[in-house]
Amino acid sequence: MTLSASHDFSAWMQDIQARTETALDHCLPVKSLMPTRLHDAMRYAVLGGGKRVRPLLAHAAGDVFDAAPETVDAAACAVELIHAYSLVHDDLPCMDDDTLRRGKPTVHIEFDEATAMLAGDALQSLAFHVIAAPGLIHDGARQVRMIELLAQASGSRGMAGGQAVDLDSIGKRIELQALEFMHIHKTGALIRAAVLLGAHCGNADDAALEKLAHYANRVGLLFQVVDDILDTEADTATLGKTAGKDEANDKPTYVSLLGLTQAKALAVEMRDAAHHALADFGSKAQRLHELADFIVARTF
Ligand code: GRG
């Protein structure tokens, strides 16, 4: 990537992150609305942090089909609200039991466990409220497909299912294939939903959606391999969450199964496969290419 291209990419990223923050702010209930403590916790969980990788992917996929950015904002918010809920619940003592997230105390530490549970629940409901908004897109049948896609990606056949397998694998030695299954669901499903929902906003046809799904599947795994590498290599201050948690929790990861060098090689392989999946889209897919590079670059 040239220097000017990388400058342009940073400016684009900042623009999408800023518009996502504004869109999220608008769809979340204001703090002063009853029940104020719950609304405060929901806003705390969502606003002012996070890389907004999923909204970036949704907008990049929308760009391929000239989707209206305002429509993609709604789809991106829905995915980000599901992501935020999953982090709140993942941090609870009954799951990962973590005290730090995005450089701040986790929601159950800042508020309390019951509030954190309810905030996660309510964020999930809000996500479906946002994606089901009447008139979000002109094609009602396509909007129903979008709602179904988000439901599948977050439920027992997607993220929640992946989390169940993750919890079940603690302290166990699992094969690479089982690790891949877990991550395709836990992390990959929502990343795939972000890409496909962005593309739906631009009326992508089924053939294009299939190619994008292939890209998203590679990026989802890439994201997880990178997350595993960072958990070993980066410090808590850089990550904004507790480093070394996977090893401390005796969780199987790409690094524990393959070693650091091979995990990094796998990341490069996934990135190249992601680029390859975009071959038919030409320069319209520039942002999707750049995002795959950006995700890998975090580790090198
Ligand atoms: C509780 C149903 C349920 C699911 C939880 C997403 C998840 C499933 C757990 C998070 C644990 C984890 C570290 C997963 C690995 C990849 C991942 C999703 C990291 C966090 O996402 P980022 O890096 O976070 O996009 P930010 O803070 O930037 O939004």
Side-chain angles (χ1 to χ4, degrees):
M1 199 188 296
T2 63
L3 188 63
S4 67
S6 101
H7 263 300
D8 174 53
F9 177 62
S10 311
W12 174 79
M13 265 186 38
Q14 279 171 28
D15 176 50
I16 301 298
Q17 286 162 338
R19 66 180 298 139
T20 301
E21 191 74 12
T22 306
L24 286 166
D25 184 17
H26 287 159
C27 68
L28 281 157
V30 291
K31 247 192 241 184
S32 55
L33 197 69
M34 283 282 278
T36 54
R37 187 172 167 80
L38 178 60
H39 290 150
D40 195 7
M42 289 165 71
R43 298 180 69 84
Y44 179 88
V46 175
L47 299 175
K51 299 175 289 299
R52 311 298 190 204
V53 167
R54 295 151 193 81
L56 287 162
L57 285 163
H59 277 278
D63 278 0
V64 179
F65 306 96
D66 299 318
E70 297 72 25
T71 311
V72 182
D73 281 337
C77 279
V79 175
E80 194 65 9
L81 290 167
I82 296 278
H83 171 58
Y85 122 69
S86 80
L87 298 180
V88 174
H89 282 191
D90 183 64
D91 289 332
L92 284 169
C94 61
M95 294 212 197
D96 235 17
D97 193 10
D98 222 321
T99 56
L100 193 67
R101 170 72 65 186
R102 295 175 170 172
K104 302 188 296 190
T106 46
V107 178
H108 66 277
I109 297 292
E110 184 70 14
F111 295 83
D112 56 77
E113 270 184 50
T115 304
M117 279 266 293
L118 289 172
D121 292 340
L123 288 172
Q124 174 162 212
S125 305
L126 183 60
F128 285 99
H129 186 87
V130 169
I131 196 97
L136 176 78
I137 55 170
H138 296 303
D139 180 347
R142 186 184 282 272
Q143 191 174 354
V144 171
R145 274 180 79 187
M146 292 167 72
I147 298 166
E148 191 187 19
L149 203 155
L150 188 63
Q152 180 125 15
S154 18
S156 65
R157 307 269 309 278
M159 182 185 72
Q163 178 78 346
V165 177
D166 179 310
L167 294 172
D168 201 40
S169 70
I170 293 174
K172 291 185 186 151
R173 168 105 202 138
I174 62 170
E175 298 297 321
L176 195 58
Q177 220 180 351
L179 187 73
E180 197 167 290
F181 176 93
M182 175 170 105
H183 292 313
I184 283 171
H185 292 81
K186 188 180 93 165
T187 313
L190 210 52
I191 286 186
R192 184 171 174 275
V195 171
L196 296 184
L197 289 175
H200 270 296
C201 292
N203 296 317
D205 63 27
D206 284 346
L209 289 168
E210 201 178 309
K211 284 174 194 137
L212 284 181
H214 199 66
Y215 163 85
N217 290 342
R218 281 12 277 165
V219 167
L221 279 180
L222 171 63
F223 191 82
Q224 187 60 55
V225 180
V226 166
D227 199 72
D228 286 357
I229 295 170
L230 288 173
D231 189 70
T232 328
E233 285 202 320
D235 57 28
T236 298
T238 312
L239 292 179
K241 61 180 183 177
T242 317
K245 273 291 274 200
D246 295 334
E247 199 182 345
N249 286 350
D250 202 10
K251 274 194 177 180
T253 67
Y254 283 101
V255 176
S256 71
L257 255 71
L258 298 174
L260 204 48
T261 310
Q262 249 192 290
K264 286 191 176 185
L266 183 65
V268 171
E269 202 183 295
M270 296 286 168
R271 179 202 60 191
D272 293 347
H275 286 314
H276 189 68
L278 298 174
D280 289 349
F281 299 114
S283 60
K284 300 276 290 175
Q286 184 194 340
R287 298 304 183 202
L288 289 172
H289 282 291
E290 287 170 336
L291 281 168
D293 289 337
F294 167 75
I295 291 168
V296 178
R298 293 173 62 216
T299 56
F300 290 92

